[in-house]
Amino acid sequence: GLWPSLQSHRRTLLTYALGMFVAGGIAILMDIGKPARVLNLLTSPQWKSPFIWDFFSLMIIVVVTLVYLFVRSKSRLLSWVAGIMAAMVIIIEGLILGVLASRPLWHGGLMPVLFFLEAMTAGSAFLVLVLPYQSWIRKALLYLLVITGLVMLIDAAALLFGGPTAAKDAMTLMLSGNLAVWFWAQILFGIVLPVILLAAVPGSRTAALIASVLAILGVLLSKLTLLTAGQAVPLMGPADTYMPTLVELGIHRGISELGIGVPSGSR
């Protein structure tokens, strides 16, 4: 409803969105350890906790998406509600990290902004992959990549030159430590190369597809390095190292396949 050119693909995109939201909910269930704890969130929520905001905003967006999927109405109000709620889910996810003073790398107001920009980047890249070629989506992806890269650069510079010691140590871990390979791979292959492909050959469908895949992988690497570095150097604690195990990677691969594969098979 917000973009008329996407209206003909409404059902496909909403089905994918629903699959992604359900997959995100399963990831939250895994994160809280025992699924039965969901009952505590429902019966005695602590409304000052951003985690509660995240939990209920995800529940609401699933309901809104279902309504939007099965209701034939082309109400612009419903499309705006769906768009705002989807944005809120992402922003709150970033806020969960941003309010953690014990994790200096994450703590700050830019974290929700970065989460939102990366979500928009990955979403635009996904549209390029699943929809017929549309130049405005390619341009949106190009602009989002540039903006996201600049915000990341500003955030990194601010932490390196003016952040607390633990935040500087975590950023150094990303720039030149054992996470440097992942960080620079994200910058070079997840931002710089896609921007070059999209800007240099604007009419090429192949270039747009390659850039989109790289952009999505770049967002994945960004999350991996950010979450790892943030936990590796806690406030007033010794530095540590972490890499995902094969079991963890397998579980998240399964969740991703649920979010993408089930909607693909239902079309």
Side-chain angles (χ1 to χ4, degrees):
L2 298 179
W3 291 281
S5 62
L6 299 180
Q7 188 62 39
S8 60
H9 308 286
R10 171 176 172 270
R11 189 171 185 85
T12 297
L13 296 177
L14 286 172
T15 304
Y16 273 119
L18 184 61
M20 297 294 185
F21 290 136
V22 171
I26 293 175
I28 291 176
L29 288 178
M30 293 172 54
D31 191 46
I32 63 178
K34 297 180 180 179
R37 290 177 178 169
V38 171
L39 296 176
N40 296 333
L41 301 179
L42 293 171
T43 58
S44 56
Q46 301 296 319
W47 292 108
K48 293 183 179 181
S49 169
F51 190 88
I52 293 296
W53 307 345
D54 182 45
F55 177 76
F56 280 96
S57 64
L58 186 57
M59 289 182 58
I60 292 171
I61 191 57
V62 168
V63 173
V64 171
T65 304
L66 281 170
V67 172
Y68 200 9
L69 181 61
F70 292 107
V71 171
R72 296 292 181 180
S73 171
K74 296 182 180 179
S75 169
R76 289 186 62 85
L77 176 61
L78 185 57
S79 66
W80 275 103
V81 170
I84 291 171
M85 287 308 304
M88 287 302 299
V89 171
I90 301 301
I91 291 171
I92 292 172
E93 291 280 350
L95 188 63
I96 290 174
L97 298 188
V99 299
L100 293 176
S102 61
R103 302 291 179 180
L105 180 65
W106 302 343
H107 188 229
L110 268 184
M111 197 55 58
V113 176
L114 278 172
F115 266 60
F116 180 72
L117 287 173
E118 289 181 337
M120 291 291 289
T121 300
S124 299
F126 186 74
L127 289 179
V128 172
L129 292 176
V130 301
L131 297 183
Y133 183 80
Q134 298 187 44
S135 61
W136 74 268
I137 301 178
R138 180 198 61 80
K139 290 179 181 177
L141 176 58
L142 174 60
Y143 297 150
L144 284 165
L145 283 167
V146 172
I147 294 171
T148 301
L150 289 174
V151 172
M152 290 179 61
L153 179 63
I154 293 170
D155 187 39
L159 288 174
L160 280 175
F161 294 102
T165 301
K168 293 179 182 179
D169 292 342
M171 185 57 65
T172 301
L173 193 66
M174 294 171 62
L175 295 177
S176 57
N178 60 4
L179 294 175
V181 172
W182 305 111
F183 176 79
W184 290 112
Q186 173 229 335
I187 297 297
L188 295 176
F189 298 107
I191 296 179
V192 175
L193 183 55
V195 167
I196 293 174
L197 287 171
L198 293 169
V201 279
S204 171
R205 168 71 171 166
T206 301
L209 291 175
I210 294 173
S212 298
V213 172
L214 290 173
I216 292 173
L217 291 176
V219 171
L220 177 62
L221 286 176
S222 173
K223 290 291 185 286
L224 175 63
T225 53
L226 179 71
L227 294 176
T228 303
Q231 296 177 85
V233 188
L235 183 66
M236 299 181 68
D240 201 355
T241 59
Y242 164 78
M243 284 299 293
T245 65
L246 291 177
V247 173
E248 290 172 323
L249 291 174
I251 290 173
H252 285 283
R253 176 186 172 184
I255 293 174
S256 300
E257 290 178 350
L258 173 66
I260 299 175
V262 172
S264 297
S266 65
R267 285 190 294 164

